[in-house]
Amino acid sequence: MGCAPKEAADMAEVLLFHHAQGLTSGVHAFAESLRGAGHAVHVPDLYEGRVFETLEEGSAYAQGIGFGTLVERGRAAAAELPAELVYAGFSLGVLPAQYLAQNRTGAKGALLFHSCVPASEFGGDWPRQVPVQIHGMEADEYFVDEGDLDAARALVESAPDAAELFLYPGKQHLFADNSLPSYDEHAATLLTRRVLAFLDGIE
């Protein structure tokens, strides 16, 4: 017998924000992997069509328009959707995802890939009713050396019933985007499996 289709009541609705290189085919592919499991996924373009070849170029563009602008664009995207969302972000996309998870009433969960910001940056402690997964590579210089790993561990310590941190062997930053040279198939497959289990547990 085949698997029964996922009931609408069991479907999570995800707002997924892209990383500094823009809305790549790899980000779309990740969204499709979640849709294939029966979840609804929205993927707004915070860069208005721009995609960059390198992380450095994309980061320079993001700094030029301002991180506050990106968060505001994320807020605008969320405003068009129901309140009961799971907010997800790749690296730079963690900024609007984490902001919304902490500040928009009704958040059902958060998925923070390759980055984590101290909860205090967005107004206070992590909301304990919002489950969160954080994923990063243990030797990723962006994740480890720029304070994201410390922020992730502090978040887990402050909200142990809500937060999980998953570390993967390796040093790649955007390891879950299959369109980039940094892609790590083994780690990305494990990340996706954990994300789907998380989404299946959303009430």
Side-chain angles (χ1 to χ4, degrees):
M1 296 178 61
C3 294
K6 185 178 285 292
E7 297 291 336
D10 297 331
M11 178 187 73
E13 191 161 2
V14 182
L15 181 56
L16 173 65
F17 296 107
H18 63 75
H19 50 71
Q21 288 180 240
L23 187 48
T24 62
S25 61
V27 174
H28 279 300
F30 183 80
E32 281 301 318
S33 70
L34 304 187
R35 293 185 185 116
H39 303 292
V41 187
H42 308 275
V43 193
D45 188 348
L46 304 182
Y47 278 7
E48 300 176 330
R50 296 173 179 83
V51 178
F52 296 91
E53 287 292 323
T54 69
L55 185 58
E56 291 73 21
E57 291 172 336
S59 297
Y61 174 75
Q63 290 174 1
I65 63 174
F67 297 133
T69 297
L70 294 173
V71 171
E72 189 55 42
R73 290 177 181 177
R75 289 178 63 184
E80 299 178 0
L81 297 170
E84 295 76 19
L85 294 172
V86 175
Y87 298 101
F90 282 87
S91 190
L92 180 73
V94 163
L95 292 174
Q98 188 171 335
Y99 172 85
L100 288 161
Q102 289 189 223
N103 289 282
R104 191 178 187 222
T105 301
K108 303 293 285 185
L111 295 161
L112 312 181
F113 308 127
H114 324 302
S115 183
C116 183
V117 179
S120 59
E121 291 290 323
F122 294 129
D125 297 331
W126 186 264
R128 291 176 179 268
Q129 76 277 13
V130 179
V132 54
Q133 283 187 349
I134 308 157
H135 300 260
M137 279 197 164
E138 60 188 11
D140 168 12
E141 61 183 13
Y142 297 101
F143 188 66
V144 176
D145 297 343
E146 296 186 4
D148 298 73
L149 178 56
D150 290 338
R153 285 173 168 157
L155 196 160
V156 171
E157 185 176 350
S158 69
D161 295 333
E164 293 181 286
L165 169 62
F166 296 104
L167 292 176
Y168 302 79
K171 62 180 182 180
Q172 302 296 345
H173 185 52
L174 300 174
F175 67 85
D177 183 326
N178 68 9
S179 69
L180 301 179
S182 56
Y183 179 65
D184 183 307
E185 183 178 6
H186 178 75
T189 299
L190 181 54
L191 178 149
T192 302
R193 186 181 308 140
R194 287 166 167 166
V195 165
L196 291 175
F198 177 88
L199 295 177
D200 286 344
I202 295 295
E203 297 179 357

